[in-house]
Amino acid sequence: LQPQAGKAVRLIALSVALFNGVQSAMTFSRGGLYGVAGALVVGSVGFVADPRARRWLVRFVVIAGVAGAGVIWPYLNDFTGGAIGRRFRDTGMTNRDALIRDDLRIWSEHPMLGVGPGMSMYHRSAFVGAGHTEYSRLLAEHGSLGLLALTSVGVMAVGVAVRPVRSPYMRGFRLSLVTWSMLTMIHAAMRLSLPGLVFGLAHLLPVQDDASEAEDA
């Protein structure tokens, strides 16, 4: 969507996005696709401030929607014998709701310091296993310090949304990164290092943006 990017760059970016979307779907990962969809929706808030970005955003949504719903999804569903369709029609939380309730119970029993990193699985009453939701895991395993960490994450996320920047593209990109990382932590906690890395990158980008503005001045 950057105005200086040529048609070839945009075509390559769109092709890579569709390819990665197909690969994510083939892993039957609902959270992976939902996270990207949420990031695109929230990130578009930043892009719509620019008329050219709005035009390209509409084109992207139309092309991706037509290709996805009319070609890619039917092919994948047929290729998997309908399994991928059944997977995404399932709106259950795969016991994550029980794990969250267990995390909150553990936190209520150990409110100050929690039970320690990685130890919540030994205090569960419903399902034995590590936490899959970072927000409740922080409370169960770190107690009040986990609550402090959650507060810090929330303040940083709000800062990305309200900090004024000259470029709507930079705002949209940062919002997308923050949204994706926070949505991913709902279903995958910090079992992957990528959400933390992406969240951090969203807060490094404004430094580059401010530096470029200073040079222009």
Side-chain angles (χ1 to χ4, degrees):
L1 293 176
Q2 287 282 11
Q4 66 269 25
K7 292 182 178 179
V9 174
R10 293 193 179 101
L11 181 60
I12 292 173
L14 179 60
S15 300
V16 170
L18 291 175
F19 175 79
N20 288 335
V22 170
Q23 296 302 306
S24 178
M26 288 299 290
T27 66
F28 287 32
S29 171
R30 295 175 301 173
L33 290 182
Y34 295 160
V36 170
L40 289 175
V41 170
V42 175
S44 67
V45 174
F47 291 112
V48 295
D50 183 87
R52 287 181 296 178
R54 285 200 299 270
R55 290 194 295 269
W56 282 108
L57 183 63
V58 170
R59 293 175 187 174
F60 170 79
V61 171
V62 171
I63 293 174
V66 171
V71 180
I72 298 175
W73 182 259
Y75 171 79
L76 292 179
N77 199 40
D78 182 67
F79 179 77
T80 60
I84 193 171
R86 292 190 295 272
R87 170 62 173 167
F88 280 84
R89 283 195 299 270
D90 179 9
T91 58
M93 298 182 66
T94 58
N95 296 325
R96 282 181 173 81
D97 52 338
L99 291 172
I100 292 173
R101 287 194 296 269
D102 246 0
D103 282 339
L104 296 178
R105 176 188 57 78
I106 294 170
W107 179 41
S108 69
E109 296 173 355
H110 305 271
M112 292 304 297
L113 299 178
V115 294
M119 300 301 292
S120 60
M121 68 176 65
Y122 301 108
H123 294 261
R124 298 202 180 281
S125 59
F127 298 93
V128 177
H132 283 62
T133 301
E134 183 64 13
Y135 307 109
S136 60
R137 185 204 68 81
L138 276 171
L139 298 175
E141 298 187 353
H142 300 277
S144 57
L145 295 179
L147 181 60
L148 177 61
L150 283 177
T151 303
S152 299
V153 169
V155 170
M156 293 173 70
V158 171
V160 167
V162 301
R163 179 173 179 175
V165 293
R166 177 183 299 178
S167 169
Y169 302 95
M170 184 63 70
R171 178 185 297 280
F173 192 43
R174 294 198 338 258
L175 286 172
S176 296
L177 294 180
V178 168
T179 301
W180 180 86
S181 61
M182 297 191 73
L183 289 177
T184 300
M185 286 189 286
I186 292 176
H187 67 89
M190 289 297 287
R191 299 159 70 89
L192 304 173
S193 60
L194 194 56
L197 174 63
V198 170
F199 190 84
L201 287 176
H203 291 81
L204 289 176
L205 289 173
V207 175
Q208 298 176 359
D209 195 43
D210 291 344
S212 62
E213 290 181 11
E215 292 175 1
D216 294 339

